[in-house]
Amino acid sequence: MPMQYKPAAEAQQAKPPQIPSPGNNSFLGDIFTSDAPKDKQISAGFYRQEKGEPLVYKYDYDEMKIILEVEGEYTLTDETGHKVSVSPGDVFYFPKGTTITFETTGYGLAFFTGLRPNGTA
């Protein structure tokens, strides 16, 4: 199977689609999904959180994020209260069942990959 490619204009430079969030300020878009049985598919794309209401998200799949850009203060807090002020280059692993609160005074952009089918945010 040949490799697949998306130029920056269709990937990192494009704003991901809006996802349901309290302040309508959370965006996520899948770029690629592996060709595998649905329960083994891996999806990857970009997540953007903008200032406003925090997003509280409970993961029903394993996911990893690499922080690419941060403007202002960008924090991630888990259900235990462990809070991290994130910077570009930081890498996170969220096991299935983890609840994370995403909050920023500016915006944060991350690349993610998760063990889930395409379009399930």
Side-chain angles (χ1 to χ4, degrees), residues 33-43 114-117:
T33 298
S34 63
D35 183 18
K38 195 169 187 173
D39 65 329
K40 293 181 176 33
Q41 289 180 340
I42 299 170
S43 294
L115 185 60
R116 62 164 179 74

Side-chain angles (χ1 to χ4, degrees), residues 18-19 36-37 54 67 78 82 94 106 112:
Q18 189 174 42
I19 61 173
I67 306 301
D78 70 14
H82 182 222
F94 309 123
F112 72 87

Side-chain angles (χ1 to χ4, degrees), residues 44-79:
F46 293 93
Y47 170 74
R48 182 179 176 100
Q49 180 70 29
E50 296 182 347
K51 69 179 175 181
E53 293 293 316
L55 172 68
V56 178
Y57 188 81
K58 182 170 183 175
Y59 284 87
D60 60 0
Y61 54 90
D62 290 340
E63 183 177 280
M64 296 179 191
K65 275 187 172 43
I66 300 171
I67 306 301
L68 302 175
E69 298 176 9
V70 173
E71 179 181 283
E73 178 75 13
Y74 187 30
T75 59
L76 276 62
T77 308
D78 70 14
E79 66 273 8

Side-chain angles (χ1 to χ4, degrees), residues 97-111:
T98 303
T99 299
I100 301 293
T101 300
F102 298 87
E103 189 169 14
T104 184
T105 62
Y107 79 90
L109 178 68
F111 177 80

